[in-house]
Amino acid sequence: SMNIGAGASGISFSGLQMFPTMGPKQVTVWISGSTVRALDTGIGQIFSSGVDATTVIQAAWDHVAGGQAGGTVSVMRGVYNMVSPLTISGSIVTNLEGEGNSRSRLNSVSGDACIVFAPGADSVEIRGLWLTHNNASQSGGLLVFQGDNNIIRIQNTNFYDFGRFLGNAIQIQNQSGSINRIWFEDIYIQDFSGAIRVESTAGTTYNITDLVFDNVYGSQSRYLVSVKSSISGAFNGISFTNCKFQWSSGAAHVFDYE
């Protein structure tokens, strides 16, 4: 809209187009029977549907993250079998949320991650999800950071391996660059080989600062945090508050020579 004060004169417009301001988008994803659907609640339009949960949830994320103002993807209760990872990309404030209390479950059926942060992804919040896998070949992480990821908050999210003790819940891996200002809050991790693992190929330089672990609970995994010996670079500002790890062989495991 445009307001012109009373008494204004000698003003003319030619070829002027007015566009509405684009606010954050809100997308709801739900599963009914075997079909997953994604609805843009702002315009009331279902823009993606199918039996492949990964494809639909990825379309929902890209729809929101590709907008001018970001927004939120809300995953309703149900089990969403992921045949490949959801790739988190972009640098506009964007949220991925479930209903909490293990209601919204992303389940890897391929032995791969559920969620991967692509290099350069930042300004993201994930909350209220349950990440699991049911594949005997699982070896990596369910939530993977690939490097140059900043200002990310993981809240109220559970990781569960159903007694197989394979792979890692959270993995920071294989890319150079920086990992800065990552918060893990109200996290429950059970039955993994490792809870949180930082690793890379030899010679890679990481700068890792301001990692915050607040109310992280781990059970029956080998360690809470492991840093592989090939990591070099700054590793500063790591804090633990109200964290508990039980029935495990170690909490902080640095200099990993496996």
Side-chain angles (χ1 to χ4, degrees):
S1 64
M2 179 178 294
N3 295 316
I4 300 176
S9 62
I11 300 174
S12 64
F13 300 95
S14 177
L16 178 66
Q17 292 181 294
M18 303 295 292
F19 296 95
T21 300
M22 301 300 293
K25 293 181 179 180
Q26 174 71 49
V27 170
T28 298
V29 176
W30 76 99
I31 186 167
S32 177
S34 60
T35 302
V36 182
R37 296 180 174 87
L39 170 73
D40 185 324
T41 60
I43 59 176
Q45 177 182 350
I46 294 175
F47 61 88
S48 182
S49 65
V51 297
D52 183 351
T54 304
T55 298
V56 176
I57 297 174
Q58 186 70 63
W61 178 266
D62 293 343
H63 181 73
V64 171
Q68 297 177 358
T72 300
V73 176
S74 298
V75 180
M76 299 294 97
R77 67 181 62 197
V79 178
Y80 300 82
N81 289 320
M82 310 291 286
V83 298
S84 59
L86 168 66
T87 300
I88 301 294
S89 60
S91 58
I92 298 175
V93 177
T94 310
N95 307 310
L96 175 67
E97 66 179 14
E99 293 191 17
N101 294 322
S102 300
R103 295 187 182 100
S104 304
R105 176 181 169 193
L106 304 187
N107 180 53
S108 171
V109 297
S110 64
D112 209 336
C114 284
I115 299 174
V116 171
F117 282 87
D122 58 31
S123 302
V124 173
E125 183 170 317
I126 292 177
R127 56 183 179 260
L129 291 177
W130 186 20
L131 304 186
T132 66
H133 76 82
N134 62 355
N135 191 293
S137 65
Q138 184 78 21
S139 60
L142 281 181
L143 179 66
V144 175
F145 296 84
Q146 292 187 332
D148 282 331
N149 304 131
N150 305 284
I151 317 177
I152 293 170
R153 189 181 301 271
I154 312 298
Q155 285 184 314
N156 187 28
T157 293
N158 298 339
F159 299 81
Y160 195 33
D161 188 28
F162 299 104
R164 279 179 289 268
F165 307 101
L166 299 171
N168 308 294
I170 299 167
Q171 190 160 318
I172 300 172
Q173 68 173 31
N174 290 339
Q175 301 286 339
S176 62
S178 63
I179 300 287
N180 297 309
R181 300 178 65 188
I182 312 295
W183 293 269
F184 300 96
E185 300 173 338
D186 299 319
I187 305 296
Y188 180 86
I189 298 171
Q190 183 170 340
D191 292 355
F192 288 87
S193 173
I196 301 166
R197 184 176 178 90
V198 181
E199 66 176 355
S200 185
T201 54
T204 296
T205 299
Y206 262 127
N207 293 309
I208 301 175
T209 58
D210 293 333
L211 293 186
V212 176
F213 301 93
D214 186 2
N215 196 28
V216 177
Y217 176 84
S219 177
Q220 300 188 76
S221 297
R222 292 174 56 202
Y223 44 74
L224 176 58
V225 177
S226 174
V227 182
K228 196 170 182 180
S229 60
S230 59
I231 293 290
S232 63
F235 195 54
N236 301 304
I238 316 302
S239 68
F240 298 87
T241 306
N242 298 324
C243 296
K244 182 178 180 180
F245 220 56
Q246 64 181 18
W247 299 317
S248 307
S249 61
H253 185 197
V254 185
F255 307 121
D256 183 356
Y257 289 97
E258 296 176 330

